[in-house]
Amino acid sequence: MSKESWVGFPDVADKTGGEIFVGHTGLPVGVDPESLQLNADALRRAVIGWGGYESLTLAGYSGEADEVTFGVSGVDASGVGHAVGAAAITKAQSSDYTSASDHMKNMFNARNGTLSVRWNIDALNSRIETHERYDPNIRARQFQKEIRKNTIQGVVDHSVFDDWRTAKGAMTKSPTIFIDGQWMHALTADFMDQDYTGVATNVGLRLVFMQTAIKLVWSIGAYADFRTDMIMDPLFTVARPTRAAIATGILASHKLVRATPTTATQKDQ
């Protein structure tokens, strides 16, 4: 699979061997799911290769839509209210994610779990005009935003263990700053971890994994072996903040969803 492997939504599970699955999209009748494509390789490298999950599922669901409330300045003799110029918009949650993983396997740096990302199709519909709901290009931009946001949060949650998730709000606003902070936590924990018998043992473990670490960071084929059970961080032994940072970089720098080129060309004609 090339580094820009675009696959139609219905074919994603087959092309990725079940590692990525696209379920019910929530697209309106008349919009062919084949009109949208997923960058399957970028997501595999980020979520499974570096993020340490076993699979990724994507789907839409029916939830609350955005609400617009207009203020009323008064009522005339006929009972008709007069709206003021300002309106209050209550935005519904546009998407969410679930990280189903085994805490103990995580602590022992074993690949496990499923990251499930869902987008709220009703909220997304309320943010575009009715005719735009049938435009694959607009849908691609919406899905891209929601998938990127939730996969970034999901891989960080999976790679930075419970004891260090004290700044999740900061992570949402700035994943880079958050992960930088976690590196410092991991560095401290490496030298305080009571599971090891001392610094000498810690250094020994680093030497054992050095060859794998160098390959992960520098080799051109760094993403080749997604199925390796052990997913040690190249820099730390008790967490995976480096891997989370690399996964975040892949997700942030790649286009993840697009309209099929033929669809885009037909629209331009």
PDB file of all heavy atoms in Angstrom, residues 25-33 35-36 65-66 119-143 263 267:
ATOM      1  N   THR A  25     -22.426   5.737   7.318  1.00  0.00           N
ATOM      2  CA  THR A  25     -21.858   7.076   7.201  1.00  0.00           C
ATOM      3  C   THR A  25     -22.856   8.181   7.520  1.00  0.00           C
ATOM      4  O   THR A  25     -22.453   9.292   7.853  1.00  0.00           O
ATOM      5  CB  THR A  25     -21.316   7.317   5.782  1.00  0.00           C
ATOM      6  OG1 THR A  25     -22.409   7.219   4.844  1.00  0.00           O
ATOM      7  CG2 THR A  25     -20.235   6.296   5.440  1.00  0.00           C
ATOM      8  N   GLY A  26     -24.159   7.892   7.401  1.00  0.00           N
ATOM      9  CA  GLY A  26     -25.159   8.931   7.611  1.00  0.00           C
ATOM     10  C   GLY A  26     -25.365   9.826   6.406  1.00  0.00           C
ATOM     11  O   GLY A  26     -26.094  10.819   6.485  1.00  0.00           O
ATOM     12  N   LEU A  27     -24.735   9.503   5.291  1.00  0.00           N
ATOM     13  CA  LEU A  27     -24.910  10.311   4.079  1.00  0.00           C
ATOM     14  C   LEU A  27     -26.344  10.213   3.591  1.00  0.00           C
ATOM     15  O   LEU A  27     -26.975   9.156   3.676  1.00  0.00           O
ATOM     16  CB  LEU A  27     -23.952   9.828   2.981  1.00  0.00           C
ATOM     17  CG  LEU A  27     -22.458  10.050   3.226  1.00  0.00           C
ATOM     18  CD1 LEU A  27     -21.638   9.292   2.189  1.00  0.00           C
ATOM     19  CD2 LEU A  27     -22.138  11.541   3.186  1.00  0.00           C
ATOM     20  N   PRO A  28     -26.910  11.311   3.058  1.00  0.00           N
ATOM     21  CA  PRO A  28     -28.295  11.271   2.590  1.00  0.00           C
ATOM     22  C   PRO A  28     -28.455  10.378   1.363  1.00  0.00           C
ATOM     23  O   PRO A  28     -27.485  10.113   0.643  1.00  0.00           O
ATOM     24  CB  PRO A  28     -28.586  12.742   2.236  1.00  0.00           C
ATOM     25  CG  PRO A  28     -27.250  13.348   1.971  1.00  0.00           C
ATOM     26  CD  PRO A  28     -26.299  12.639   2.890  1.00  0.00           C
ATOM     27  N   VAL A  29     -29.671   9.909   1.149  1.00  0.00           N
ATOM     28  CA  VAL A  29     -29.963   9.094  -0.029  1.00  0.00           C
ATOM     29  C   VAL A  29     -29.625   9.907  -1.278  1.00  0.00           C
ATOM     30  O   VAL A  29     -29.998  11.070  -1.399  1.00  0.00           O
ATOM     31  CB  VAL A  29     -31.442   8.674  -0.047  1.00  0.00           C
ATOM     32  CG1 VAL A  29     -31.767   7.915  -1.328  1.00  0.00           C
ATOM     33  CG2 VAL A  29     -31.771   7.824   1.174  1.00  0.00           C
ATOM     34  N   GLY A  30     -28.902   9.282  -2.178  1.00  0.00           N
ATOM     35  CA  GLY A  30     -28.483   9.988  -3.387  1.00  0.00           C
ATOM     36  C   GLY A  30     -27.006  10.292  -3.397  1.00  0.00           C
ATOM     37  O   GLY A  30     -26.451  10.633  -4.448  1.00  0.00           O
ATOM     38  N   VAL A  31     -26.362  10.188  -2.235  1.00  0.00           N
ATOM     39  CA  VAL A  31     -24.914  10.374  -2.160  1.00  0.00           C
ATOM     40  C   VAL A  31     -24.260   9.002  -2.033  1.00  0.00           C
ATOM     41  O   VAL A  31     -24.435   8.311  -1.031  1.00  0.00           O
ATOM     42  CB  VAL A  31     -24.507  11.272  -0.973  1.00  0.00           C
ATOM     43  CG1 VAL A  31     -22.991  11.431  -0.936  1.00  0.00           C
ATOM     44  CG2 VAL A  31     -25.183  12.623  -1.061  1.00  0.00           C
ATOM     45  N   ASP A  32     -23.541   8.611  -3.061  1.00  0.00           N
ATOM     46  CA  ASP A  32     -22.891   7.306  -3.096  1.00  0.00           C
ATOM     47  C   ASP A  32     -21.684   7.312  -2.171  1.00  0.00           C
ATOM     48  O   ASP A  32     -20.806   8.173  -2.295  1.00  0.00           O
ATOM     49  CB  ASP A  32     -22.447   7.006  -4.525  1.00  0.00           C
ATOM     50  CG  ASP A  32     -21.912   5.585  -4.684  1.00  0.00           C
ATOM     51  OD1 ASP A  32     -21.768   4.877  -3.669  1.00  0.00           O
ATOM     52  OD2 ASP A  32     -21.640   5.193  -5.837  1.00  0.00           O
ATOM     53  N   PRO A  33     -21.599   6.366  -1.218  1.00  0.00           N
ATOM     54  CA  PRO A  33     -20.407   6.295  -0.360  1.00  0.00           C
ATOM     55  C   PRO A  33     -19.110   6.173  -1.157  1.00  0.00           C
ATOM     56  O   PRO A  33     -18.039   6.546  -0.674  1.00  0.00           O
ATOM     57  CB  PRO A  33     -20.656   5.043   0.492  1.00  0.00           C
ATOM     58  CG  PRO A  33     -22.147   4.912   0.524  1.00  0.00           C
ATOM     59  CD  PRO A  33     -22.616   5.376  -0.820  1.00  0.00           C
ATOM     60  N   SER A  35     -18.308   7.963  -3.471  1.00  0.00           N
ATOM     61  CA  SER A  35     -17.874   9.308  -3.853  1.00  0.00           C
ATOM     62  C   SER A  35     -16.907   9.902  -2.834  1.00  0.00           C
ATOM     63  O   SER A  35     -16.364  10.988  -3.051  1.00  0.00           O
ATOM     64  CB  SER A  35     -19.084  10.237  -4.010  1.00  0.00           C
ATOM     65  OG  SER A  35     -19.750  10.425  -2.768  1.00  0.00           O
ATOM     66  N   LEU A  36     -16.691   9.198  -1.723  1.00  0.00           N
ATOM     67  CA  LEU A  36     -15.727   9.631  -0.708  1.00  0.00           C
ATOM     68  C   LEU A  36     -14.636   8.576  -0.561  1.00  0.00           C
ATOM     69  O   LEU A  36     -14.910   7.374  -0.583  1.00  0.00           O
ATOM     70  CB  LEU A  36     -16.418   9.852   0.634  1.00  0.00           C
ATOM     71  CG  LEU A  36     -17.398  11.020   0.706  1.00  0.00           C
ATOM     72  CD1 LEU A  36     -18.077  11.048   2.065  1.00  0.00           C
ATOM     73  CD2 LEU A  36     -16.707  12.333   0.433  1.00  0.00           C
ATOM     74  N   ALA A  65     -28.860  18.390  16.761  1.00  0.00           N
ATOM     75  CA  ALA A  65     -28.389  19.379  15.796  1.00  0.00           C
ATOM     76  C   ALA A  65     -28.128  20.701  16.511  1.00  0.00           C
ATOM     77  O   ALA A  65     -28.557  20.907  17.653  1.00  0.00           O
ATOM     78  CB  ALA A  65     -29.426  19.569  14.689  1.00  0.00           C
ATOM     79  N   ASP A  66     -27.407  21.599  15.849  1.00  0.00           N
ATOM     80  CA  ASP A  66     -27.194  22.934  16.402  1.00  0.00           C
ATOM     81  C   ASP A  66     -28.530  23.660  16.531  1.00  0.00           C
ATOM     82  O   ASP A  66     -29.440  23.464  15.718  1.00  0.00           O
ATOM     83  CB  ASP A  66     -26.284  23.764  15.482  1.00  0.00           C
ATOM     84  CG  ASP A  66     -24.859  23.216  15.441  1.00  0.00           C
ATOM     85  OD1 ASP A  66     -24.546  22.316  16.238  1.00  0.00           O
ATOM     86  OD2 ASP A  66     -24.077  23.698  14.610  1.00  0.00           O
ATOM     87  N   TRP A 119     -19.090  10.517  13.898  1.00  0.00           N
ATOM     88  CA  TRP A 119     -19.486  11.905  13.652  1.00  0.00           C
ATOM     89  C   TRP A 119     -21.001  12.016  13.712  1.00  0.00           C
ATOM     90  O   TRP A 119     -21.741  11.126  13.304  1.00  0.00           O
ATOM     91  CB  TRP A 119     -18.965  12.389  12.296  1.00  0.00           C
ATOM     92  CG  TRP A 119     -19.272  11.496  11.132  1.00  0.00           C
ATOM     93  CD1 TRP A 119     -20.422  11.447  10.388  1.00  0.00           C
ATOM     94  CD2 TRP A 119     -18.407  10.495  10.587  1.00  0.00           C
ATOM     95  NE1 TRP A 119     -20.326  10.491   9.409  1.00  0.00           N
ATOM     96  CE2 TRP A 119     -19.107   9.898   9.496  1.00  0.00           C
ATOM     97  CE3 TRP A 119     -17.111  10.057  10.883  1.00  0.00           C
ATOM     98  CZ2 TRP A 119     -18.547   8.871   8.737  1.00  0.00           C
ATOM     99  CZ3 TRP A 119     -16.568   9.036  10.120  1.00  0.00           C
ATOM    100  CH2 TRP A 119     -17.276   8.464   9.059  1.00  0.00           C
ATOM    101  N   ASN A 120     -21.475  13.120  14.260  1.00  0.00           N
ATOM    102  CA  ASN A 120     -22.903  13.388  14.433  1.00  0.00           C
ATOM    103  C   ASN A 120     -23.435  14.009  13.141  1.00  0.00           C
ATOM    104  O   ASN A 120     -23.235  15.188  12.870  1.00  0.00           O
ATOM    105  CB  ASN A 120     -23.106  14.345  15.609  1.00  0.00           C
ATOM    106  CG  ASN A 120     -24.569  14.684  15.849  1.00  0.00           C
ATOM    107  OD1 ASN A 120     -25.456  14.293  15.092  1.00  0.00           O
ATOM    108  ND2 ASN A 120     -24.825  15.432  16.914  1.00  0.00           N
ATOM    109  N   ILE A 121     -24.113  13.194  12.346  1.00  0.00           N
ATOM    110  CA  ILE A 121     -24.547  13.649  11.029  1.00  0.00           C
ATOM    111  C   ILE A 121     -25.572  14.779  11.131  1.00  0.00           C
ATOM    112  O   ILE A 121     -25.631  15.662  10.270  1.00  0.00           O
ATOM    113  CB  ILE A 121     -25.098  12.462  10.201  1.00  0.00           C
ATOM    114  CG1 ILE A 121     -25.162  12.827   8.719  1.00  0.00           C
ATOM    115  CG2 ILE A 121     -26.437  11.995  10.741  1.00  0.00           C
ATOM    116  CD1 ILE A 121     -23.818  13.043   8.085  1.00  0.00           C
ATOM    117  N   ASP A 122     -26.391  14.798  12.195  1.00  0.00           N
ATOM    118  CA  ASP A 122     -27.397  15.859  12.345  1.00  0.00           C
ATOM    119  C   ASP A 122     -26.733  17.197  12.652  1.00  0.00           C
ATOM    120  O   ASP A 122     -27.145  18.239  12.130  1.00  0.00           O
ATOM    121  CB  ASP A 122     -28.399  15.494  13.447  1.00  0.00           C
ATOM    122  CG  ASP A 122     -29.247  14.300  13.075  1.00  0.00           C
ATOM    123  OD1 ASP A 122     -29.791  14.297  11.961  1.00  0.00           O
ATOM    124  OD2 ASP A 122     -29.342  13.367  13.884  1.00  0.00           O
ATOM    125  N   ALA A 123     -25.712  17.180  13.479  1.00  0.00           N
ATOM    126  CA  ALA A 123     -24.981  18.410  13.768  1.00  0.00           C
ATOM    127  C   ALA A 123     -24.264  18.914  12.516  1.00  0.00           C
ATOM    128  O   ALA A 123     -24.268  20.118  12.225  1.00  0.00           O
ATOM    129  CB  ALA A 123     -23.977  18.178  14.900  1.00  0.00           C
ATOM    130  N   LEU A 124     -23.666  18.005  11.758  1.00  0.00           N
ATOM    131  CA  LEU A 124     -22.963  18.406  10.535  1.00  0.00           C
ATOM    132  C   LEU A 124     -23.947  18.944   9.502  1.00  0.00           C
ATOM    133  O   LEU A 124     -23.644  19.917   8.801  1.00  0.00           O
ATOM    134  CB  LEU A 124     -22.180  17.220   9.965  1.00  0.00           C
ATOM    135  CG  LEU A 124     -21.070  16.661  10.859  1.00  0.00           C
ATOM    136  CD1 LEU A 124     -20.324  15.551  10.140  1.00  0.00           C
ATOM    137  CD2 LEU A 124     -20.104  17.747  11.304  1.00  0.00           C
ATOM    138  N   ASN A 125     -25.127  18.330   9.399  1.00  0.00           N
ATOM    139  CA  ASN A 125     -26.140  18.825   8.459  1.00  0.00           C
ATOM    140  C   ASN A 125     -26.588  20.236   8.792  1.00  0.00           C
ATOM    141  O   ASN A 125     -26.836  21.059   7.906  1.00  0.00           O
ATOM    142  CB  ASN A 125     -27.355  17.901   8.459  1.00  0.00           C
ATOM    143  CG  ASN A 125     -27.128  16.628   7.669  1.00  0.00           C
ATOM    144  OD1 ASN A 125     -26.206  16.544   6.857  1.00  0.00           O
ATOM    145  ND2 ASN A 125     -27.969  15.633   7.914  1.00  0.00           N
ATOM    146  N   SER A 126     -26.674  20.539  10.088  1.00  0.00           N
ATOM    147  CA  SER A 126     -27.180  21.853  10.503  1.00  0.00           C
ATOM    148  C   SER A 126     -26.175  22.972  10.221  1.00  0.00           C
ATOM    149  O   SER A 126     -26.524  24.149  10.321  1.00  0.00           O
ATOM    150  CB  SER A 126     -27.546  21.832  11.990  1.00  0.00           C
ATOM    151  OG  SER A 126     -26.392  21.647  12.795  1.00  0.00           O
ATOM    152  N   ARG A 127     -24.957  22.625   9.853  1.00  0.00           N
ATOM    153  CA  ARG A 127     -23.922  23.630   9.631  1.00  0.00           C
ATOM    154  C   ARG A 127     -23.685  23.929   8.154  1.00  0.00           C
ATOM    155  O   ARG A 127     -22.795  24.698   7.809  1.00  0.00           O
ATOM    156  CB  ARG A 127     -22.615  23.167  10.293  1.00  0.00           C
ATOM    157  CG  ARG A 127     -22.781  23.079  11.799  1.00  0.00           C
ATOM    158  CD  ARG A 127     -21.603  22.456  12.515  1.00  0.00           C
ATOM    159  NE  ARG A 127     -21.967  22.179  13.901  1.00  0.00           N
ATOM    160  CZ  ARG A 127     -21.177  21.622  14.803  1.00  0.00           C
ATOM    161  NH1 ARG A 127     -19.944  21.281  14.457  1.00  0.00           N
ATOM    162  NH2 ARG A 127     -21.606  21.400  16.035  1.00  0.00           N
ATOM    163  N   ILE A 128     -24.472  23.305   7.289  1.00  0.00           N
ATOM    164  CA  ILE A 128     -24.366  23.576   5.863  1.00  0.00           C
ATOM    165  C   ILE A 128     -25.761  23.750   5.276  1.00  0.00           C
ATOM    166  O   ILE A 128     -26.767  23.369   5.884  1.00  0.00           O
ATOM    167  CB  ILE A 128     -23.625  22.433   5.125  1.00  0.00           C
ATOM    168  CG1 ILE A 128     -24.315  21.091   5.385  1.00  0.00           C
ATOM    169  CG2 ILE A 128     -22.163  22.381   5.540  1.00  0.00           C
ATOM    170  CD1 ILE A 128     -23.667  19.923   4.641  1.00  0.00           C
ATOM    171  N   GLU A 129     -25.828  24.336   4.085  1.00  0.00           N
ATOM    172  CA  GLU A 129     -27.102  24.502   3.400  1.00  0.00           C
ATOM    173  C   GLU A 129     -27.618  23.140   2.926  1.00  0.00           C
ATOM    174  O   GLU A 129     -26.849  22.195   2.750  1.00  0.00           O
ATOM    175  CB  GLU A 129     -26.944  25.434   2.201  1.00  0.00           C
ATOM    176  CG  GLU A 129     -26.463  26.829   2.556  1.00  0.00           C
ATOM    177  CD  GLU A 129     -27.476  27.599   3.386  1.00  0.00           C
ATOM    178  OE1 GLU A 129     -28.694  27.310   3.271  1.00  0.00           O
ATOM    179  OE2 GLU A 129     -27.070  28.486   4.160  1.00  0.00           O
ATOM    180  N   THR A 130     -28.936  23.064   2.717  1.00  0.00           N
ATOM    181  CA  THR A 130     -29.547  21.787   2.345  1.00  0.00           C
ATOM    182  C   THR A 130     -28.921  21.204   1.089  1.00  0.00           C
ATOM    183  O   THR A 130     -28.598  20.010   1.027  1.00  0.00           O
ATOM    184  CB  THR A 130     -31.062  21.960   2.142  1.00  0.00           C
ATOM    185  OG1 THR A 130     -31.654  22.436   3.357  1.00  0.00           O
ATOM    186  CG2 THR A 130     -31.705  20.632   1.755  1.00  0.00           C
ATOM    187  N   HIS A 131     -28.719  22.038   0.057  1.00  0.00           N
ATOM    188  CA  HIS A 131     -28.169  21.514  -1.190  1.00  0.00           C
ATOM    189  C   HIS A 131     -26.715  21.064  -1.034  1.00  0.00           C
ATOM    190  O   HIS A 131     -26.233  20.225  -1.799  1.00  0.00           O
ATOM    191  CB  HIS A 131     -28.266  22.557  -2.311  1.00  0.00           C
ATOM    192  CG  HIS A 131     -27.368  23.744  -2.111  1.00  0.00           C
ATOM    193  ND1 HIS A 131     -27.705  24.812  -1.296  1.00  0.00           N
ATOM    194  CD2 HIS A 131     -26.133  24.020  -2.606  1.00  0.00           C
ATOM    195  CE1 HIS A 131     -26.724  25.703  -1.307  1.00  0.00           C
ATOM    196  NE2 HIS A 131     -25.762  25.246  -2.090  1.00  0.00           N
ATOM    197  N   GLU A 132     -26.006  21.609  -0.033  1.00  0.00           N
ATOM    198  CA  GLU A 132     -24.613  21.240   0.172  1.00  0.00           C
ATOM    199  C   GLU A 132     -24.458  19.843   0.773  1.00  0.00           C
ATOM    200  O   GLU A 132     -23.375  19.256   0.717  1.00  0.00           O
ATOM    201  CB  GLU A 132     -23.928  22.259   1.080  1.00  0.00           C
ATOM    202  CG  GLU A 132     -23.803  23.646   0.458  1.00  0.00           C
ATOM    203  CD  GLU A 132     -23.183  24.649   1.421  1.00  0.00           C
ATOM    204  OE1 GLU A 132     -23.455  24.536   2.637  1.00  0.00           O
ATOM    205  OE2 GLU A 132     -22.443  25.531   0.949  1.00  0.00           O
ATOM    206  N   ARG A 133     -25.541  19.323   1.328  1.00  0.00           N
ATOM    207  CA  ARG A 133     -25.478  18.003   1.943  1.00  0.00           C
ATOM    208  C   ARG A 133     -25.196  16.911   0.922  1.00  0.00           C
ATOM    209  O   ARG A 133     -24.792  15.807   1.282  1.00  0.00           O
ATOM    210  CB  ARG A 133     -26.779  17.706   2.684  1.00  0.00           C
ATOM    211  CG  ARG A 133     -27.070  18.698   3.809  1.00  0.00           C
ATOM    212  CD  ARG A 133     -28.402  18.440   4.477  1.00  0.00           C
ATOM    213  NE  ARG A 133     -28.721  19.482   5.443  1.00  0.00           N
ATOM    214  CZ  ARG A 133     -29.829  19.534   6.155  1.00  0.00           C
ATOM    215  NH1 ARG A 133     -30.749  18.579   6.003  1.00  0.00           N
ATOM    216  NH2 ARG A 133     -30.047  20.524   7.012  1.00  0.00           N
ATOM    217  N   TYR A 134     -25.423  17.219  -0.354  1.00  0.00           N
ATOM    218  CA  TYR A 134     -25.222  16.230  -1.416  1.00  0.00           C
ATOM    219  C   TYR A 134     -23.900  16.438  -2.144  1.00  0.00           C
ATOM    220  O   TYR A 134     -23.631  15.762  -3.126  1.00  0.00           O
ATOM    221  CB  TYR A 134     -26.391  16.302  -2.412  1.00  0.00           C
ATOM    222  CG  TYR A 134     -27.726  16.042  -1.765  1.00  0.00           C
ATOM    223  CD1 TYR A 134     -28.469  17.078  -1.192  1.00  0.00           C
ATOM    224  CD2 TYR A 134     -28.246  14.746  -1.680  1.00  0.00           C
ATOM    225  CE1 TYR A 134     -29.692  16.833  -0.571  1.00  0.00           C
ATOM    226  CE2 TYR A 134     -29.459  14.497  -1.061  1.00  0.00           C
ATOM    227  CZ  TYR A 134     -30.177  15.549  -0.513  1.00  0.00           C
ATOM    228  OH  TYR A 134     -31.375  15.293   0.108  1.00  0.00           O
ATOM    229  N   ASP A 135     -23.079  17.352  -1.656  1.00  0.00           N
ATOM    230  CA  ASP A 135     -21.805  17.670  -2.295  1.00  0.00           C
ATOM    231  C   ASP A 135     -20.691  16.858  -1.626  1.00  0.00           C
ATOM    232  O   ASP A 135     -20.345  17.101  -0.457  1.00  0.00           O
ATOM    233  CB  ASP A 135     -21.526  19.168  -2.161  1.00  0.00           C
ATOM    234  CG  ASP A 135     -20.294  19.598  -2.942  1.00  0.00           C
ATOM    235  OD1 ASP A 135     -19.425  18.746  -3.216  1.00  0.00           O
ATOM    236  OD2 ASP A 135     -20.194  20.794  -3.266  1.00  0.00           O
ATOM    237  N   PRO A 136     -20.102  15.887  -2.327  1.00  0.00           N
ATOM    238  CA  PRO A 136     -19.050  15.061  -1.723  1.00  0.00           C
ATOM    239  C   PRO A 136     -17.850  15.872  -1.243  1.00  0.00           C
ATOM    240  O   PRO A 136     -17.188  15.494  -0.269  1.00  0.00           O
ATOM    241  CB  PRO A 136     -18.654  14.108  -2.859  1.00  0.00           C
ATOM    242  CG  PRO A 136     -19.850  14.057  -3.749  1.00  0.00           C
ATOM    243  CD  PRO A 136     -20.436  15.439  -3.692  1.00  0.00           C
ATOM    244  N   ASN A 137     -17.546  16.990  -1.909  1.00  0.00           N
ATOM    245  CA  ASN A 137     -16.401  17.798  -1.498  1.00  0.00           C
ATOM    246  C   ASN A 137     -16.619  18.419  -0.126  1.00  0.00           C
ATOM    247  O   ASN A 137     -15.707  18.454   0.708  1.00  0.00           O
ATOM    248  CB  ASN A 137     -16.154  18.896  -2.532  1.00  0.00           C
ATOM    249  CG  ASN A 137     -15.724  18.343  -3.875  1.00  0.00           C
ATOM    250  OD1 ASN A 137     -14.575  17.984  -4.076  1.00  0.00           O
ATOM    251  ND2 ASN A 137     -16.678  18.237  -4.796  1.00  0.00           N
ATOM    252  N   ILE A 138     -17.831  18.902   0.136  1.00  0.00           N
ATOM    253  CA  ILE A 138     -18.146  19.485   1.438  1.00  0.00           C
ATOM    254  C   ILE A 138     -18.184  18.401   2.504  1.00  0.00           C
ATOM    255  O   ILE A 138     -17.667  18.575   3.617  1.00  0.00           O
ATOM    256  CB  ILE A 138     -19.483  20.250   1.375  1.00  0.00           C
ATOM    257  CG1 ILE A 138     -19.305  21.501   0.498  1.00  0.00           C
ATOM    258  CG2 ILE A 138     -19.976  20.624   2.774  1.00  0.00           C
ATOM    259  CD1 ILE A 138     -20.563  22.298   0.295  1.00  0.00           C
ATOM    260  N   ARG A 139     -18.754  17.244   2.162  1.00  0.00           N
ATOM    261  CA  ARG A 139     -18.786  16.135   3.117  1.00  0.00           C
ATOM    262  C   ARG A 139     -17.364  15.679   3.455  1.00  0.00           C
ATOM    263  O   ARG A 139     -17.059  15.359   4.604  1.00  0.00           O
ATOM    264  CB  ARG A 139     -19.584  14.967   2.535  1.00  0.00           C
ATOM    265  CG  ARG A 139     -21.072  15.221   2.496  1.00  0.00           C
ATOM    266  CD  ARG A 139     -21.620  15.524   3.857  1.00  0.00           C
ATOM    267  NE  ARG A 139     -23.065  15.513   3.874  1.00  0.00           N
ATOM    268  CZ  ARG A 139     -23.807  15.833   4.926  1.00  0.00           C
ATOM    269  NH1 ARG A 139     -23.214  16.220   6.058  1.00  0.00           N
ATOM    270  NH2 ARG A 139     -25.123  15.796   4.873  1.00  0.00           N
ATOM    271  N   ALA A 140     -16.504  15.651   2.457  1.00  0.00           N
ATOM    272  CA  ALA A 140     -15.124  15.234   2.698  1.00  0.00           C
ATOM    273  C   ALA A 140     -14.445  16.171   3.689  1.00  0.00           C
ATOM    274  O   ALA A 140     -13.723  15.724   4.589  1.00  0.00           O
ATOM    275  CB  ALA A 140     -14.355  15.198   1.381  1.00  0.00           C
ATOM    276  N   ARG A 141     -14.683  17.489   3.556  1.00  0.00           N
ATOM    277  CA  ARG A 141     -14.076  18.452   4.484  1.00  0.00           C
ATOM    278  C   ARG A 141     -14.618  18.263   5.890  1.00  0.00           C
ATOM    279  O   ARG A 141     -13.875  18.372   6.878  1.00  0.00           O
ATOM    280  CB  ARG A 141     -14.317  19.877   3.984  1.00  0.00           C
ATOM    281  CG  ARG A 141     -13.494  20.235   2.758  1.00  0.00           C
ATOM    282  CD  ARG A 141     -13.489  21.732   2.522  1.00  0.00           C
ATOM    283  NE  ARG A 141     -14.791  22.237   2.127  1.00  0.00           N
ATOM    284  CZ  ARG A 141     -15.210  22.331   0.859  1.00  0.00           C
ATOM    285  NH1 ARG A 141     -14.415  21.924  -0.129  1.00  0.00           N
ATOM    286  NH2 ARG A 141     -16.395  22.815   0.577  1.00  0.00           N
ATOM    287  N   GLN A 142     -15.924  18.006   6.008  1.00  0.00           N
ATOM    288  CA  GLN A 142     -16.511  17.789   7.328  1.00  0.00           C
ATOM    289  C   GLN A 142     -15.936  16.530   7.982  1.00  0.00           C
ATOM    290  O   GLN A 142     -15.508  16.559   9.141  1.00  0.00           O
ATOM    291  CB  GLN A 142     -18.031  17.659   7.211  1.00  0.00           C
ATOM    292  CG  GLN A 142     -18.758  18.965   6.955  1.00  0.00           C
ATOM    293  CD  GLN A 142     -20.259  18.783   7.047  1.00  0.00           C
ATOM    294  OE1 GLN A 142     -20.816  17.799   6.558  1.00  0.00           O
ATOM    295  NE2 GLN A 142     -20.924  19.737   7.678  1.00  0.00           N
ATOM    296  N   PHE A 143     -15.923  15.420   7.252  1.00  0.00           N
ATOM    297  CA  PHE A 143     -15.433  14.162   7.813  1.00  0.00           C
ATOM    298  C   PHE A 143     -13.944  14.257   8.131  1.00  0.00           C
ATOM    299  O   PHE A 143     -13.473  13.707   9.130  1.00  0.00           O
ATOM    300  CB  PHE A 143     -15.695  13.011   6.845  1.00  0.00           C
ATOM    301  CG  PHE A 143     -17.153  12.659   6.689  1.00  0.00           C
ATOM    302  CD1 PHE A 143     -17.559  11.732   5.751  1.00  0.00           C
ATOM    303  CD2 PHE A 143     -18.132  13.265   7.465  1.00  0.00           C
ATOM    304  CE1 PHE A 143     -18.904  11.396   5.601  1.00  0.00           C
ATOM    305  CE2 PHE A 143     -19.482  12.952   7.321  1.00  0.00           C
ATOM    306  CZ  PHE A 143     -19.862  12.004   6.382  1.00  0.00           C
ATOM    307  N   THR A 263     -15.567  12.411  -9.189  1.00  0.00           N
ATOM    308  CA  THR A 263     -16.689  13.213  -8.682  1.00  0.00           C
ATOM    309  C   THR A 263     -16.356  14.680  -8.743  1.00  0.00           C
ATOM    310  O   THR A 263     -17.155  15.515  -9.150  1.00  0.00           O
ATOM    311  CB  THR A 263     -17.032  12.794  -7.243  1.00  0.00           C
ATOM    312  OG1 THR A 263     -17.372  11.419  -7.207  1.00  0.00           O
ATOM    313  CG2 THR A 263     -18.199  13.628  -6.718  1.00  0.00           C
ATOM    314  N   LYS A 267     -18.131  17.641 -11.126  1.00  0.00           N
ATOM    315  CA  LYS A 267     -18.722  18.833 -10.516  1.00  0.00           C
ATOM    316  C   LYS A 267     -18.203  20.102 -11.172  1.00  0.00           C
ATOM    317  O   LYS A 267     -18.926  21.079 -11.332  1.00  0.00           O
ATOM    318  CB  LYS A 267     -18.421  18.855  -9.011  1.00  0.00           C
ATOM    319  CG  LYS A 267     -18.952  20.098  -8.304  1.00  0.00           C
ATOM    320  CD  LYS A 267     -18.691  19.997  -6.831  1.00  0.00           C
ATOM    321  CE  LYS A 267     -19.016  21.311  -6.134  1.00  0.00           C
ATOM    322  NZ  LYS A 267     -20.371  21.776  -6.419  1.00  0.00           N
TER     323      LYS A 267
END
